[in-house]
Amino acid sequence: MRTLVDGQPGTVVPVDDRAFLYGESLFETVAFRDRQAPLWSRHMARLDLGCRSLGFQPPRPEQLLAECRKVLPESGPAIARITITGGSGGRGYWPAPDAPERRVIQCRDWPGEIDRQRSAGLRLTISKSRLESGPVGEGLKHGNRLVQVMAARECARSGHDEAVLLDQAGSIVEAISSNILLVVDDQLMTHPRPVVSGVGLGWLIDQPGLDLRLRPVAGEDLARCSEVLVINSVSGVRPAIAIEQYRFRPGPTCRHLQSLWNEQLI
Amino acid sequence: MRTLVDGQPGTVVPVDDRAFLYGESLFETVAFRDRQAPLWSRHMARLDLGCRSLGFQPPRPEQLLAECRKVLPESGPAIARITITGGSGGRGYWPAPDAPERRVIQCRDWPGEIDRQRSAGLRLTISKSRLESGPVGEGLKHGNRLVQVMAARECARSGHDEAVLLDQAGSIVEAISSNILLVVDDQLMTHPRPVVSGVGLGWLIDQPGLDLRLRPVAGEDLARCSEVLVINSVSGVRPAIAIEQYRFRPGPTCRHLQSLWNEQLI
């Protein structure tokens, strides 16, 4: 059994599900190792905030955790994707007032390329799609992800591992599935208003003694960066070795953050 | 039978469908009467453009029409929602390179309130959610509709029929499920860059001899409007009778456009 729908084994949802129709959903992609998820409470905090923003009844974390463990392997690394949707019903965009949310838990295999990328690094392109701060859901992990999908399609076509997403002002906001950290003149920086408030980034920000400045960095300032790193809750910290014409090496910041990650989260 | 999935009777889709996971889909909501859809070719043109933008193989219109007729009643008005999704597969946001699209056709009952609203008019609120021109999919009818869903939720809570959506500059762009037409100083106007390129609006723009100016109107200019109308391909032209503190009456423009609509499309 790899998938639960509202707690029951199943692999399908009704075509009137509001995630299917309108992307009315929230999700969390949670890394587990031996059925333990070190960042669980951070995922649950973001999901709870999202539910309150979208008018969903927040699910009970202990129920979600029990359901994740039903679909996960007994040991080793694996991923649980938790999806909460607006359920069924309503009239067009108008949600049904009291429709119960739908809850889908999917087990996914651990991506084989992560370990290699943590040491060998990633090659990135700069996406033609520019981000805008959304009118709803800023920071939330909701199911309206066409920008990321289109950027991923473009990035796969050009043979890159990931893509940098800029905002309208040309600042580096994040990557398709990760936040971005940049070392400029020995200062570690990241964008202050990511489109997705990454759980991995949140963990990093809370590390005592870490001097991380929340400030936009322009795309053209990549020439001044000594290191560029991407971070997400599943893959941890991975170095960028190329972004378009710019070249980087995994350096001391990468090694430091990777050992912090390994000590606390693996 | 009310629903076809890839041409077969069915009411469910796999949980790995990319519309369910990321809102990676396009849809058309087509009004039929006695199994005829007068705006069919306009819906198909928008869907074709959407498919090319999102990297989908466009479906064959004649196959879609045959499938709509399989689920529609023999006579009378009804609605077919056609959904084309990115199909299953891929790795996170990265679509599978050659995954076939998924095609869902749903029959929906004709909404009972339309006829009443065409004569009695609508009461609108101004949504707190502001629109931004999206980095992908501007004008397309894609499945990333959280802005509209959130505005609809807000609008239902306050007891209104519809909501006006403004852009960041405070201009009137469109309503949740309709485009908006405003009569200011005897001039009919609508926003030049709607977030959804409405099929009903497109039909209206192409009417010979109609003097419709494509120019933004500020929210505060509602005080100068003699009539406000909403238009979509299912409901046709409906007058607004109230938008927040502003009051309107169905006037000569409304009557004219409604008779144009009735002559050609009903």
Side-chain angles (χ1 to χ4, degrees):
Chain A
M1 179 185 47
R2 302 266 293 176
T3 307
L4 294 175
V5 178
D6 286 336
Q8 300 302 314
T11 57
V12 295
V13 290
V15 292
D16 66 358
D17 184 274
R18 296 182 61 87
F20 179 76
L21 297 175
Y22 307 115
E24 189 188 332
S25 66
L26 298 159
F27 66 102
E28 295 292 333
T29 309
V30 186
F32 279 83
R33 186 175 298 263
D34 302 337
R35 302 158 82 86
Q36 300 296 323
L39 291 168
W40 178 257
S41 60
R42 290 179 184 269
H43 284 288
M44 290 302 103
R46 183 171 65 180
L47 182 61
D48 187 79
L49 180 66
C51 285
R52 291 174 200 279
S53 301
L54 266 51
F56 293 178
Q57 180 76 31
R60 291 189 300 111
E62 56 276 26
Q63 182 184 37
L64 293 180
L65 186 58
E67 292 184 352
C68 287
R69 287 179 172 156
K70 279 190 187 170
V71 300
L72 289 165
E74 284 296 321
S75 64
I79 294 170
R81 173 172 159 138
I82 300 168
T83 310
I84 307 295
T85 88
S88 290
R91 177 180 58 82
Y93 297 130
W94 277 256
D98 298 310
E101 289 73 25
R102 184 165 285 116
R103 195 170 77 248
V104 175
I105 316 279
Q106 294 164 273
C107 174
R108 293 182 175 177
D109 293 334
W110 188 256
E113 73 272 21
I114 290 178
D115 287 341
R116 187 187 58 76
Q117 290 177 340
R118 280 179 181 158
S119 58
L122 302 176
R123 294 176 182 278
L124 288 83
T125 183
I126 297 181
S127 178
K128 286 194 292 286
S129 301
R130 294 286 179 106
L131 291 168
E132 307 210 35
S133 54
V136 293
E138 195 170 341
L140 303 180
K141 190 89 172 179
H142 56 63
N144 273 211
R145 290 292 163 216
L146 211 38
V147 176
Q148 283 75 14
V149 169
M150 295 306 291
R153 195 182 279 273
E154 181 192 334
C155 162
R157 240 188 337 246
S158 64
H160 292 85
D161 300 311
E162 250 285 3
V164 175
L165 295 169
L166 305 177
D167 63 14
Q168 298 295 314
S171 296
I172 294 170
V173 182
E174 60 202 36
I176 296 169
S177 63
S178 300
N179 293 103
I180 297 186
L181 304 161
L182 306 111
V183 183
V184 192
D185 304 334
D186 288 327
Q187 175 62 53
L188 186 62
M189 305 213 264
T190 193
H191 198 279
R193 290 177 306 282
V195 168
V196 177
S197 295
V199 155
L201 178 64
W203 167 84
L204 190 69
I205 288 172
D206 289 347
Q207 294 307 299
L210 190 87
D211 184 17
L212 170 62
R213 198 164 297 171
L214 304 179
R215 199 167 72 71
V217 175
E220 49 263 42
D221 286 339
L222 283 170
R224 294 170 53 215
C225 291
S226 56
E227 291 185 63
V228 179
L229 311 169
V230 298
I231 182 169
N232 74 32
S233 69
V234 169
S235 306
V237 176
R238 292 171 294 169
I241 53 169
I243 303 178
E244 301 289 349
Q245 72 270 37
Y246 306 103
R247 297 289 175 273
F248 310 96
R249 285 164 181 274
T253 305
C254 178
R255 285 192 293 274
H256 173 60
L257 298 183
Q258 284 187 334
S259 31
L260 268 183
W261 186 276
N262 292 344
E263 281 160 22
Q264 293 190 40
L265 300 175
I266 293 190
Chain B
M1 179 185 49
R2 304 266 292 175
T3 307
L4 294 176
V5 178
D6 286 335
Q8 300 301 315
T11 58
V12 296
V13 288
V15 293
D16 66 358
D17 184 272
R18 297 182 60 88
F20 179 76
L21 296 176
Y22 306 115
E24 190 189 332
S25 66
L26 297 159
F27 66 103
E28 295 292 333
T29 310
V30 186
F32 279 82
R33 187 174 298 263
D34 303 336
R35 302 158 82 85
Q36 300 296 323
L39 292 169
W40 179 258
S41 59
R42 290 179 183 272
H43 283 289
M44 289 303 103
R46 183 171 65 183
L47 182 59
D48 188 77
L49 181 65
C51 285
R52 291 174 200 280
S53 301
L54 265 55
F56 293 179
Q57 180 75 29
R60 290 189 300 113
E62 57 274 27
Q63 181 183 39
L64 294 180
L65 186 58
E67 291 184 353
C68 286
R69 287 180 172 154
K70 280 189 186 169
V71 301
L72 288 165
E74 283 296 321
S75 64
I79 293 169
R81 174 172 159 137
I82 300 168
T83 309
I84 308 294
T85 87
S88 289
R91 178 180 57 84
Y93 296 130
W94 278 257
D98 298 309
E101 289 74 26
R102 184 165 285 116
R103 195 170 77 248
V104 174
I105 317 279
Q106 293 165 274
C107 175
R108 293 182 175 176
D109 293 334
W110 189 256
E113 74 271 20
I114 289 179
D115 287 341
R116 187 187 59 73
Q117 289 177 341
R118 279 179 180 158
S119 58
L122 303 176
R123 294 177 182 279
L124 287 83
T125 184
I126 297 179
S127 178
K128 287 197 290 288
S129 302
R130 295 285 178 105
L131 291 169
E132 306 209 36
S133 55
V136 291
E138 195 169 341
L140 304 181
K141 189 88 171 180
H142 57 62
N144 272 211
R145 291 292 162 215
L146 210 39
V147 177
Q148 284 76 12
V149 168
M150 294 307 289
R153 195 182 280 272
E154 182 192 335
C155 163
R157 240 188 339 246
S158 64
H160 293 85
D161 300 309
E162 250 286 2
V164 175
L165 297 169
L166 306 177
D167 63 15
Q168 298 295 313
S171 297
I172 295 170
V173 182
E174 61 201 36
I176 296 168
S177 63
S178 300
N179 292 103
I180 297 186
L181 303 161
L182 305 111
V183 183
V184 192
D185 304 334
D186 288 325
Q187 175 62 54
L188 186 62
M189 305 213 266
T190 194
H191 197 281
R193 290 177 306 282
V195 168
V196 178
S197 295
V199 155
L201 178 64
W203 167 83
L204 191 69
I205 287 172
D206 289 346
Q207 292 309 297
L210 190 88
D211 184 18
L212 170 61
R213 199 164 297 170
L214 304 180
R215 199 168 72 71
V217 176
E220 49 263 40
D221 286 338
L222 283 171
R224 294 170 53 216
C225 292
S226 56
E227 292 184 63
V228 179
L229 312 170
V230 298
I231 183 169
N232 73 33
S233 68
V234 169
S235 306
V237 177
R238 292 172 295 168
I241 55 170
I243 302 177
E244 301 290 348
Q245 73 271 34
Y246 306 104
R247 296 292 174 271
F248 310 95
R249 285 165 181 275
T253 306
C254 179
R255 284 192 293 273
H256 174 60
L257 298 183
Q258 285 187 333
S259 30
L260 268 184
W261 185 277
N262 292 345
E263 281 159 24
Q264 294 188 40
L265 301 175
I266 293 189

